[in-house]
Amino acid sequence: MRVPPFARYHRLLASLGLLLSGAIIGAAIYMSIHQHTYNQLYIEMHKYLEERDELKGDIEDLIKTRNKQALINAVHVYLIQNQDELISEDIQKEIESEVKNELKLVIGQKAAYVRDARPLYEKLITQRVYMLHDKKYTIDVKSIILIQTELSVWVSAKESRIDDTGVKKAH
């Protein structure tokens, strides 16, 4: 019995290897594009869910204070970002919603009482630490403004880390 020479199949094996490596590289490129698109959709969905929850809360608050014009109807929170430390959009929205939940008790109160108790609300938020996505963020109040029946709060957030000695460091 005679064994066929291997040189006959050398080109076939090389082309099969090239085809297989092309399929693996193509699958990797396809998965990276798919993952990027999925990540964008997730961030967009999270933004829409936050907006929906905010609008539902606003509707509830407006229904609660419909006939009383001297009461606080809405709380708006805005995060001011530092130039040296940028925070991603989803974490920014989560920080804003957490601070807004802290100030939920203001809704329905008289505007004059909220105006007089401004330092109390400022102390409620200042130096508050929130744990988001395995990172700690410390909140500082920049400004609180009461315009008619809306309370607007501008805050800044710094990522703080704890070293081995347990001492907090601002990042």
Side-chain angles (χ1 to χ4, degrees), residues 84-146:
D84 55 337
E85 182 179 336
L86 295 177
I87 300 173
S88 67
E89 189 174 326
D90 58 333
I91 292 177
Q92 179 181 353
K93 291 294 182 187
E94 287 183 36
I95 290 173
E96 288 176 357
S97 68
E98 290 288 333
V99 173
K100 189 173 181 177
N101 285 338
E102 290 290 329
L103 292 174
K104 206 73 160 155
L105 61 105
V106 173
I107 296 175
Q109 292 185 2
K110 292 184 179 181
Y113 175 73
V114 173
R115 183 184 63 236
D116 294 338
R118 181 179 165 235
L120 174 70
Y121 296 116
E122 191 171 325
K123 287 180 184 178
L124 180 69
I125 304 168
T126 302
Q127 297 302 317
R128 192 81 176 209
V129 177
Y130 294 106
M131 185 76 166
L132 301 170
H133 300 283
D134 298 330
K135 294 181 183 178
K136 292 185 179 185
Y137 294 94
T138 305
I139 306 299
D140 288 323
V141 176
K142 295 295 182 185
S143 173
I144 297 177
I145 297 176
L146 177 65

Side-chain angles (χ1 to χ4, degrees), residues 27-45:
I29 291 172
Y30 172 77
M31 281 306 295
S32 68
I33 292 171
H34 175 72
Q35 186 65 28
H36 178 71
T37 306
Y38 182 78
N39 192 27
Q40 285 180 336
L41 285 174
Y42 175 76
I43 291 171
E44 192 172 323
M45 180 194 70

